[in-house]
């Protein structure tokens, strides 16, 4: 993404803005599993680059919706092609079963961080 002037983090946020229907900053933060202020800084950068704009929510004036600009929409296919090339290169030597096992492990770790099981709390005493 460096070739088009985006960092990995900016690109990641932009992909979600393109996928989601006018998300709020809070919805983006939740979808990306990162802090709301961090998403805000990335949105600021994307706005300055002309890829997104903020628009007031029609029903709640406290909420700003993050909208892809025409530039972002025009470049969406190029972004997808670049991402596909990177993914192909990164995962080329990884067997499907190994990738599935890694994804399952990461999912379990994430779930454990979100909601530790009661037996772990009792055993560890400090979760």
């Amino acid at each position: 993404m460096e070739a088009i002037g985006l960092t990995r983090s900016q690109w990641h946020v932009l992909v979600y803005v393109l996928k989601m229907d006018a998300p709020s900053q809070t919805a983006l933060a939740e979808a990306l599993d990162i802090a709301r202020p961090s998403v805000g800084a990335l949105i600021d950068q994307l706005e300055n680059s002309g890829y997104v704009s903020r628009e007031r929510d029609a029903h709640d004036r406290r909420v700003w919706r993050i909208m892809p600009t025409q530039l972002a929409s025009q470049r969406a296919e190029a972004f997808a092609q670049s991402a596909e090339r990177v993914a192909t290169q990164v995962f080329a030597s990884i067997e499907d079963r190994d990738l599935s096992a890694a994804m399952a492990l990461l999912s379990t770790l994430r779930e454990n961080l979100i909601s530790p099981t009661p037996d772990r709390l009792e055993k560890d005493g400090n979760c």
Side-chain angles (χ1 to χ4, degrees), residues 43-58:
I43 292 167
D44 289 343
Q45 294 163 5
L46 289 169
E47 193 171 30
N48 290 336
S49 298
Y51 287 107
V52 300
S53 64
R54 288 180 167 100
E55 295 181 15
R56 286 205 183 271
D57 185 278

Side-chain angles (χ1 to χ4, degrees), residues 29-48:
E30 290 171 0
L32 294 163
D33 198 24
I34 58 178
R36 192 174 180 280
S38 298
V39 171
L42 291 165
I43 292 167
D44 289 343
Q45 294 163 5
L46 289 169
E47 193 171 30
N48 290 336

Side-chain angles (χ1 to χ4, degrees), residues 86-108:
V86 170
T88 299
Q89 179 183 355
V90 168
F91 296 112
S93 64
I94 300 175
E95 297 290 330
D96 286 345
R97 71 181 189 290
D98 294 335
L99 186 57
S100 293
M103 289 171 56
L105 175 63
L106 290 172
S107 179
T108 300

Side-chain angles (χ1 to χ4, degrees), residues 53-113:
S53 64
R54 288 180 167 100
E55 295 181 15
R56 286 205 183 271
D57 185 278
H59 304 290
D60 186 343
R61 305 256 325 144
R62 297 170 298 171
V63 175
W64 289 88
R65 298 286 171 187
I66 312 307
M67 308 294 290
T69 62
Q70 186 174 2
L71 175 65
S73 297
Q74 289 171 342
R75 294 188 177 173
E77 184 60 34
F79 296 157
Q81 290 172 359
S82 294
E84 185 64 32
R85 281 193 303 275
V86 170
T88 299
Q89 179 183 355
V90 168
F91 296 112
S93 64
I94 300 175
E95 297 290 330
D96 286 345
R97 71 181 189 290
D98 294 335
L99 186 57
S100 293
M103 289 171 56
L105 175 63
L106 290 172
S107 179
T108 300
L109 291 171
R110 183 172 188 272
E111 287 302 314
N112 287 346
L113 288 170

